[in-house]
C-alpha cells in the first residue's frame, strides 16, 4: 500500500484552510449577532492569509493550485464575510436595496480576484491592480470595531453606504496599490517610506486602538488614490 506523500505545499495550504475557516466562523458569528467577534475573525483570517504567502515563499512551494485555493478562501473571508456582516449589522433594514448594497464588496471582490488570477505572471508581484480584497474587508471590519455599539451613531451611519460603494469601485479599478515590503535590509532600502508608514501605523493603532485601525486603512486607500491622480496629471499623453 502506497503511503500518502506529503509535500511542502501542505503547510501553506493549511494556513489557507484556516483563513477560509475563520471566514466561515465570521459569517456564523454575524448571523448570531456577535458583530465585534465577527469583525475580529476577519482580521484573524487576514493573518492566516499573510502567513500562507510567507510560508509558501520560505518553502518554495508556490503553485497554481495554491493561488486558486487562496482566491477561493479570499472570496469567503474577505468577500462574503464582510458583506454579510454589513447586512446583519446595518443594511437589513433597507430591504432589497440593503441586500444589493451589502453584496457589492462580495461581487466586486470576486471580479477583482478573477482579474488578478488571469493577469498573474509567476508568483511574485510588486503591485496590485485595484484595491486588494483583504484591504477592503479589513477596512469594513475595522469600521465595525471602531463605531458599532448596539448600532451605528449619527452621522457615522450616513457614511456606510458611500464607503461601501467607494471600496467596491476601487477593487475593480485600475488604481495601483503597492505590495508590503519584505522585512529585510534590502526591503528597507527598496521601500523606506513604506517602513516609515508601517511604524507610523503601529503608533496610531497603539494610541487610538480600534479607531486607529480604521484610520490607518483609510489613509492607505487615500494615498493610493492621490498617487494615481498624480501620475495621471504628470504623465505626458501619447497623443
Amino acid at each position: 500500500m502506497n503511503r500518502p506523500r506529503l509535500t511542502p505545499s501542505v503547510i501553506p495550504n493549511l494556513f489557507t484552510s484556516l483563513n477560509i475557516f475563520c471566514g466561515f466562523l465570521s459569517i456564523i458569528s454575524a448571523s448570531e449577532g456577535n458583530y465585534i467577534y465577527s469583525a475580529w475573525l476577519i482580521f484573524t483570517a487576514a493573518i492566516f492569509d499573510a502567513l500562507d504567502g510567507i510560508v509558501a515563499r520560505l518553502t518554495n512551494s508556490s503553485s497554481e493550485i495554491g493561488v486558486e485555493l487562496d482566491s477561493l478562501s479570499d472570496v469567503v473571508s474577505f468577500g462574503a464575510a464582510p458583506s454579510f456582516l454589513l447586512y446583519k449589522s446595518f443594511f437589513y433594514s433597507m430591504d432589497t436595496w440593503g441586500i444589493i448594497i451589502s453584496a457589492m464588496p462580495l461581487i466586486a471582490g470576486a471580479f477583482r480576484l478573477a482579474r488578478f488570477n488571469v493577469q498573474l505572471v509567476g508568483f511574485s508581484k510588486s503591485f496590485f491592480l485595484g484595491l486588494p480584497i483583504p484591504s477592503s474587508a479589513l477596512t469594513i471590519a475595522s469600521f465595525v470595531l471602531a463605531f458599532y455599539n448596539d448600532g451605528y451613531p449619527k452621522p457615522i451611519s450616513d457614511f456606510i453606504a458611500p464607503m461601501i460603494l467607494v471600496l467596491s469601485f476601487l477593487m475593480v479599478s485600475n488604481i495601483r496599490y503597492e505590495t508590503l515590503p519584505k522585512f529585510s535590509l534590502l526591503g528597507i532600502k527598496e521601500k523606506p517610506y513604506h517602513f516609515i508608514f508601517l511604524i507610523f501605523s503601529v503608533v496610531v493603532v497603539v494610541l487610538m486602538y480600534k479607531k486607529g485601525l480604521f484610520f490607518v486603512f483609510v489613509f492607505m486607500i487615500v494615498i493610493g488614490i492621490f498617487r494615481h491622480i498624480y501620475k495621471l496629471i504628470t504623465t505626458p499623453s501619447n497623443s
Side-chain angles (χ1 to χ4, degrees):
M1 180 177 179
N2 293 329
R3 297 179 61 183
R5 180 171 172 266
L6 296 179
T7 63
S9 63
V10 170
I11 302 175
N13 288 345
L14 174 61
F15 284 113
T16 306
S17 300
L18 291 171
N19 167 9
I20 195 170
F21 182 64
C22 286
F24 179 64
L25 288 180
S26 175
I27 294 172
I28 292 176
S29 297
S31 69
E32 296 174 345
N34 300 323
Y35 305 133
I36 301 301
Y37 186 52
S38 174
W40 278 124
L41 282 166
I42 293 174
F43 271 90
T44 307
I47 293 173
F48 287 125
D49 183 52
L51 287 174
D52 70 6
I54 293 172
V55 172
R57 287 190 292 272
L58 290 175
T59 59
N60 195 26
S61 57
S62 299
S63 65
E64 292 183 3
I65 291 179
V67 171
E68 297 298 330
L69 180 61
D70 185 70
S71 293
L72 292 172
S73 299
D74 287 356
V75 168
V76 175
S77 299
F78 309 128
S83 286
F84 190 70
L85 175 57
L86 285 170
Y87 175 75
K88 289 291 291 183
S89 65
F90 182 72
F91 287 110
Y92 69 92
S93 61
M94 298 183 183
D95 299 323
T96 302
W97 278 111
I99 295 173
I100 293 173
I101 297 174
S102 60
M104 291 188 69
L106 169 61
I107 297 171
F111 274 101
R112 163 74 177 76
L113 289 167
R115 182 179 67 178
F116 172 81
N117 287 353
V118 170
Q119 296 177 343
L120 181 64
V121 178
F123 300 110
S124 62
K125 47 197 174 295
S126 59
F127 65 88
F128 296 103
L129 191 61
L131 181 68
I133 184 173
S135 298
S136 172
L138 293 176
T139 302
I140 294 169
S142 62
F143 179 86
V144 174
L145 292 174
F147 299 110
Y148 184 84
N149 185 16
D150 292 328
Y152 299 97
K154 288 281 189 178
I156 295 298
S157 60
D158 295 332
F159 291 97
I160 297 179
M163 177 183 70
I164 299 310
L165 294 175
V166 170
L167 290 175
S168 300
F169 168 76
L170 290 176
M171 281 191 282
V172 297
S173 71
N174 290 323
I175 297 177
R176 290 190 178 189
Y177 285 90
E178 296 189 24
T179 58
L180 289 175
K182 297 179 180 178
F183 290 91
S184 63
L185 290 176
L186 180 60
I188 295 175
K189 291 180 180 180
E190 288 179 346
K191 298 181 178 181
Y193 294 109
H194 292 70
F195 275 93
I196 294 174
F197 174 71
L198 289 175
I199 295 172
F200 169 78
S201 300
V202 171
V203 173
V204 171
V205 171
V206 169
L207 294 177
M208 302 181 66
Y209 190 34
K210 294 178 181 179
K211 290 185 179 180
L213 279 172
F214 175 68
F215 291 137
V216 164
F217 284 109
V218 169
F219 183 75
M220 179 197 71
I221 291 170
V222 171
I223 286 296
I225 295 173
F226 278 113
R227 185 190 298 115
H228 182 73
I229 294 174
Y230 176 77
K231 286 185 177 181
L232 288 178
I233 295 174
T234 57
T235 302
S237 175
N238 294 327
S239 59

